[in-house]
Amino acid sequence: MAAPEAWRARSCWFCEVAAATTMEATSREAAPAKSSASGPNAPPALFELCGRAVSAHMGVLESGVWALPGPILQSILPLLNIYYLERIEETALKKGLSTQAIWRRLWDELMKTRPSSLESVTCWRAKFMEAFFSHVLRGTIDVSSDRRLCDQRFSPLLHSSRHVRQLTICNMLQGATELVAEPNRRVLETLASSLHTLKFRHLLFSDVAAQQSLRQLLHQLIHHGAVSQVSLYSWPVPESALFILILTMSAGFWQPGPGGPPCRLCGEASRGRAPSRDEGSLLLGSRRPRRDAAERCAAALMASRRKSEAKQMPRAAPATRVTRRSTQESLTAGGTDLKRELHPPATSHEAPGTKRPPSALAATSSASSSTSSYKRAPASSAPQPKPLKRFKRAAGKKGARTRQGPGAESEDLYDFVFIVAGEKEDGEEMEIGEVACGALDGSDPSCLGLPALEASQRFRSISTLELFTVPLSTEAALTLCHLLSSWVSLESLTLSYNGLGSNIFRLLDSLRALSGQAGCRLRALHLSDLFSPLPILELTRAIVRALPLLRVLSIRVDHPSQRDNPGVPGNAGPPSLIIGDEEIPEYNLALKRLSFHDMNLADCQSEVLFLLQNLTLQEITFSFCRLFEKRPAQFLPEMVAAMKGNSTLKGLRLPGNRLGNAGLLALADVFSEDSSSSLCQLDISSNCIKPDGLLEFAKRLERWGRGAFGHLRLFQNWLDQDAVTAREAIRRLRATCHVVSDSWDSSQAFADYVSTM
């Protein structure tokens, strides 16, 4: 008998045995067996033995198994390993079978983690395969330990790579070297087409070889791949060289590392070719100055990093502290004037009479306008000594401010703990910036030509950049701002707790330059930090002015500027005196979503009312903003009146503002018969609302005959104080809207309750 006919006969025999044993198993289920051999230690049934045999020989029986009837195939599916279970997915769907329960059981048994309750898993196969890929890459799972994971005919990385949508690189860049190795070339090619999000978590210091591997990996996944989002999480002490590498590669710049192999995907024509001078200016943005002080600083620092990497020789020389005075003296002695840096003379390739690009003039004018607005040095200049904080105090020293009021002592202690630490960090960043400026004083002429960028080629770049808890030094902030000014493909930017400080001014200038670029696509900005040198509303207005096409803006500042708190002695006065009424209107008609989180807006009620009257905003969030801390009896009616006349506002989120029952009932008037409001989403979580107040709110909605208005969020309110009344209120509300609530123990919020009595 010919070999193919023999395999076909064996396949038919397995299928017939499987069908027969399936019928036998079905009959046994109908009439339970009374044999004493049954039990957990009983030998496997004939059908299970046949199923295991089929699974072990799927290499030759796969086509025959695919042709089995649905009921038989359904019993065989749980016996297959993950590779054949994944391959048979399409056939199972055609037969009306689902493998989701099997993949969920595999997740519970092998991954041994419970997905977040907020996560909605639509495909357990993709979720399992993505996690399986990461575990195999990091070496945290042994595929030989379980028969369902081990099959010599398949590569675990290659087989699961097409399901990977996001990849996380941790610690010392584990996995980067393995992915760029030649045996995993097909894995990397598959990832280039499937991967969309690249995350970095808890990065540590890495060697030059690991960074070179990461350079090749980013080039393949971003420049020649489909990665559109890069996120960095929890990097307390960022390594500048590694951070700048990730940023520049994400922005689309590519230059092979020293001694690195050429990229086979770039083409023979582009290998080893350095861009011309005109092309270099195009890469950096032809409509903006090519060399400002920030760019020269970044170039000098990047060049010094490259030199140290190439030498790979540890240096034990003690760090030299450069004081502000000595730096200025050295710059003056070397012929460098800080004031002259604001308006640099024409370079050798630019004639004295040559007209500068419009964006250059705009940048200069914007810098001068920001100087008059913020009372600071322009961000386009070299790093200047940081001004003293307005609320700096030296308690216990001569000349200290006299304490006033009973809470002055605690405020002094608070300021001492936080501000002194902040000044220490500012001093460290100042040393880095001043050393960088000293490097520009002719010590390394090659740095003045931006070798790291002008000698680079530019490819596709990502559209979403997220930096979570990554402190930015002066070096990193300069590099980020320089890249942002021409990053036209960027659509969403998240900067969360990066310690920007006065670098916020450089950020604003770079965003202003970016908005002047043709094809700018930045539409969402999320900014969070501990401190802000600008009052909240001034910061908001500055961002809105800089990005006139911005659609989503979210701001969170834990400890606002002193000017946000007019009650502090020595402040310039209430917000109405700081911000004139003529400056209140927004400068962005495209803005649709605006969010404020964890800040005190009790003294900004006129600005809040203006935002609620804005006919362009569709969603506003005031989360834990203490809106009703002052003048609640007067402010609530004004707020309701503003919302009743706004027909474009669709969503209002007010969590954590201590509305209480009285505030909720006042808010119910927004849905009255004489209202023009089209509000369809309302979030009143964490607002000290009791069951009786919620019930009255529901009755008023019923009385006014209000139709379904969308979603109502009620998390962490005091609904457990009267469960019966709360259930009745929610039942009535569900006839009007979709209610989302929880079972929260309000006894933990007793202190909050006392403060609202």
Side-chain angles (χ1 to χ4, degrees):
M1 181 181 295
E5 296 180 357
W7 289 119
R8 188 179 301 108
R10 182 175 297 180
S11 174
C12 295
W13 178 81
F14 271 117
C15 295
E16 291 175 358
V17 172
T21 52
T22 301
M23 296 178 62
E24 179 183 355
T26 304
S27 62
R28 285 201 306 268
E29 291 177 359
K34 300 182 180 179
S35 174
S36 59
S38 61
N41 298 325
L46 177 61
F47 177 80
E48 185 176 352
L49 291 175
C50 293
R52 291 181 180 178
V54 170
S55 177
H57 297 82
M58 281 292 290
V60 294
L61 301 177
E62 185 174 9
S63 59
V65 173
W66 287 12
L68 288 174
I72 299 179
L73 183 61
Q74 185 175 12
S75 301
I76 292 180
L77 289 178
L79 304 176
L80 301 178
N81 61 37
I82 61 172
Y83 309 102
Y84 285 109
L85 182 62
E86 193 272 340
R87 287 167 59 91
I88 208 172
E89 178 76 16
E90 183 177 354
T91 300
L93 291 177
K94 291 180 179 179
K95 296 179 181 292
L97 304 177
S98 174
T99 62
Q100 290 298 304
I102 303 175
W103 289 109
R104 174 60 192 270
R105 185 167 65 251
L106 287 171
W107 175 274
D108 294 338
E109 295 176 358
L110 298 176
M111 299 303 169
K112 299 178 181 179
T113 58
R114 185 180 300 275
S116 171
S117 58
L118 301 178
E119 180 183 6
S120 178
V121 180
T122 57
C123 181
W124 282 100
R125 177 186 61 154
K127 183 175 179 62
F128 178 89
M129 282 296 191
E130 185 176 70
F132 177 67
F133 178 90
S134 299
H135 282 295
V136 173
L137 182 63
R138 301 171 191 164
T140 55
I141 191 171
D142 184 11
V143 296
S144 62
S145 62
D146 196 299
R147 67 170 185 84
R148 296 169 292 182
L149 306 178
C150 182
D151 196 316
Q152 298 297 327
R153 290 161 292 196
F154 297 96
S155 166
L157 288 178
L158 180 60
H159 196 82
S160 58
S161 59
R162 71 185 187 94
H163 295 282
V164 180
R165 296 296 179 265
Q166 66 177 16
L167 177 65
T168 301
I169 297 178
C170 303
N171 301 332
M172 301 182 68
L173 306 180
Q174 286 94 336
T177 303
E178 289 77 5
L179 286 177
V180 299
E182 182 61 26
N184 289 326
R185 188 180 68 178
R186 291 181 58 194
V187 176
L188 188 55
E189 292 175 352
T190 305
L191 282 179
S193 60
S194 67
L195 193 66
H196 294 160
T197 302
L198 188 60
K199 297 183 178 181
F200 296 89
R201 288 184 182 273
H202 310 293
L203 292 183
L204 303 175
F205 289 94
S206 56
D207 55 17
V208 178
Q211 293 190 20
Q212 178 62 23
S213 298
L214 180 64
R215 186 190 306 271
Q216 299 177 21
L217 179 66
L218 294 177
H219 180 56
Q220 181 93 3
L221 296 180
I222 297 177
H223 302 164
H224 295 292
V227 170
S228 59
Q229 175 177 336
V230 170
S231 303
L232 284 79
Y233 297 85
S234 302
W235 198 358
V237 186
E239 184 181 359
S240 296
L242 180 57
F243 180 77
I244 293 175
L245 170 64
I246 296 174
L247 278 186
T248 52
M249 298 290 286
S250 300
F253 290 100
W254 161 248
Q255 185 179 20
C263 176
R264 59 185 180 81
L265 298 177
C266 292
E268 296 292 339
S270 62
R271 289 182 183 176
R273 179 180 64 86
S276 63
R277 177 173 294 177
D278 294 337
E279 184 180 359
S281 63
L282 177 63
L283 296 180
L284 297 176
S286 59
R287 298 184 57 192
R288 61 187 301 271
R290 291 182 58 196
R291 294 185 180 95
D292 60 7
E295 293 171 351
R296 294 198 301 273
C297 261
L301 292 166
M302 293 171 68
S304 63
R305 294 284 183 178
R306 284 178 175 273
K307 286 185 177 181
S308 62
E309 290 179 9
K311 293 180 181 179
Q312 299 186 23
M313 295 178 61
R315 297 181 178 180
T320 303
R321 296 184 58 88
V322 183
T323 63
R324 183 175 303 161
R325 182 176 181 180
S326 62
T327 303
Q328 292 179 349
E329 291 176 354
S330 63
L331 290 176
T332 305
T336 303
D337 190 358
L338 293 180
K339 295 182 179 179
R340 192 177 303 171
E341 286 294 327
L342 303 183
H343 305 283
T347 56
S348 59
H349 63 273
E350 181 178 350
T354 304
K355 296 180 66 176
R356 304 181 72 182
S359 63
L361 299 177
T364 305
S365 62
S366 64
S368 61
S369 63
S370 60
T371 303
S372 60
S373 175
Y374 305 131
K375 303 292 187 267
R376 66 173 181 88
S380 59
S381 65
Q384 301 289 328
K386 297 186 178 181
L388 295 177
K389 297 180 181 293
R390 291 189 298 262
F391 43 89
K392 177 181 178 182
R393 292 191 290 269
K397 295 184 180 180
K398 184 178 181 180
R401 179 183 62 85
T402 304
R403 298 177 182 177
Q404 299 177 3
E409 183 176 357
S410 61
E411 290 180 0
D412 289 343
L413 178 60
Y414 176 88
D415 291 340
F416 177 80
V417 171
F418 287 96
I419 297 174
V420 171
E423 289 173 352
K424 181 179 179 181
E425 295 175 359
D426 292 346
E428 294 174 355
E429 292 186 0
M430 195 62 216
E431 293 171 9
I432 298 175
E434 289 168 346
V435 172
C437 292
L440 300 178
D441 195 21
S443 59
D444 191 356
S446 63
C447 298
L448 300 178
L450 283 174
L453 298 184
E454 286 191 354
S456 303
Q457 304 176 50
R458 194 160 194 178
F459 294 83
R460 71 175 292 273
S461 54
I462 63 172
S463 59
T464 301
L465 177 65
E466 297 178 339
L467 305 180
F468 295 96
T469 321
V470 181
L472 297 182
S473 63
T474 299
E475 176 185 2
L478 287 172
T479 305
L480 174 63
C481 294
H482 167 58
L483 295 174
L484 284 177
S485 60
S486 61
W487 202 330
V488 294
S489 68
L490 193 64
E491 299 177 3
S492 177
L493 175 63
T494 299
L495 300 176
S496 179
Y497 295 100
N498 306 121
L500 287 174
S502 60
N503 287 321
I504 189 66
F505 301 114
R506 294 189 177 95
L507 176 65
L508 291 173
D509 285 342
S510 64
L511 295 178
R512 188 179 298 108
L514 174 61
S515 65
Q517 297 283 343
C520 172
R521 287 184 278 179
L522 185 60
R523 298 296 182 266
L525 176 61
H526 306 271
L527 184 63
S528 305
D529 220 327
L530 286 174
F531 301 94
S532 171
L534 283 175
I536 300 304
L537 296 179
E538 286 189 21
L539 177 61
T540 303
R541 266 186 293 274
I543 295 175
V544 168
R545 289 175 180 174
L547 298 170
L549 298 180
L550 195 68
R551 297 179 62 88
V552 179
L553 175 60
S554 176
I555 298 180
R556 171 175 180 170
V557 178
D558 292 355
H559 306 291
S561 169
Q562 183 190 17
R563 291 173 62 183
D564 283 328
N565 185 6
V568 178
N571 196 10
S576 60
L577 299 180
I578 299 174
I579 306 168
D581 293 338
E582 68 279 3
E583 297 185 8
I584 289 180
E586 299 288 328
Y587 290 81
N588 187 337
L589 298 179
L591 193 64
K592 302 301 180 184
R593 295 171 55 189
L594 181 61
S595 302
F596 297 99
H597 302 271
D598 284 342
M599 58 187 63
N600 185 4
L601 296 181
D603 294 296
C604 305
Q605 294 180 351
S606 59
E607 288 81 1
V608 171
L609 292 177
F610 169 79
L611 293 175
L612 293 175
Q613 294 170 348
N614 192 303
L615 296 181
T616 61
L617 290 173
Q618 296 180 356
E619 181 179 311
I620 304 179
T621 299
F622 298 105
S623 176
F624 294 88
C625 290
R626 302 162 66 175
L627 289 181
F628 312 109
E629 188 174 280
K630 297 183 179 180
R631 301 176 56 250
Q634 294 80 16
F635 178 59
L636 268 172
E638 296 173 351
M639 178 178 173
V640 170
M643 295 174 59
K644 290 174 67 174
N646 191 336
S647 60
T648 60
L649 187 63
K650 307 296 182 184
L652 178 64
R653 305 181 185 276
L654 301 172
N657 282 284
R658 301 182 179 180
L659 264 174
N661 285 356
L664 177 63
L665 297 181
L667 201 61
D669 196 38
V670 175
F671 307 99
S672 61
E673 298 174 351
D674 60 342
S675 174
S676 302
S677 172
S678 57
L679 195 67
C680 57
Q681 293 186 0
L682 180 62
D683 188 351
I684 51 175
S685 302
S686 304
N687 269 292
C688 311
I689 297 174
K690 298 180 181 179
D692 55 342
L694 186 64
L695 180 59
E696 181 61 27
F697 177 77
K699 291 179 179 179
R700 293 192 182 186
L701 294 185
E702 291 177 349
R703 186 184 316 129
W704 288 320
R706 183 78 178 191
F709 68 88
H711 290 74
L712 178 66
R713 298 174 65 89
L714 296 170
F715 291 110
Q716 294 186 352
N717 279 297
W718 298 346
L719 304 183
D720 61 331
Q721 294 186 356
D722 188 346
V724 176
T725 304
R727 284 195 297 267
E728 175 64 17
I730 293 177
R731 184 189 67 81
R732 289 172 177 261
L733 286 171
R734 283 176 176 166
T736 305
C737 57
H738 177 68
V739 181
V740 182
S741 183
D742 61 353
S743 55
W744 182 62
D745 184 8
S746 62
S747 60
Q748 302 297 323
F750 179 77
D752 195 13
Y753 169 74
V754 172
S755 64
T756 59
M757 291 181 62

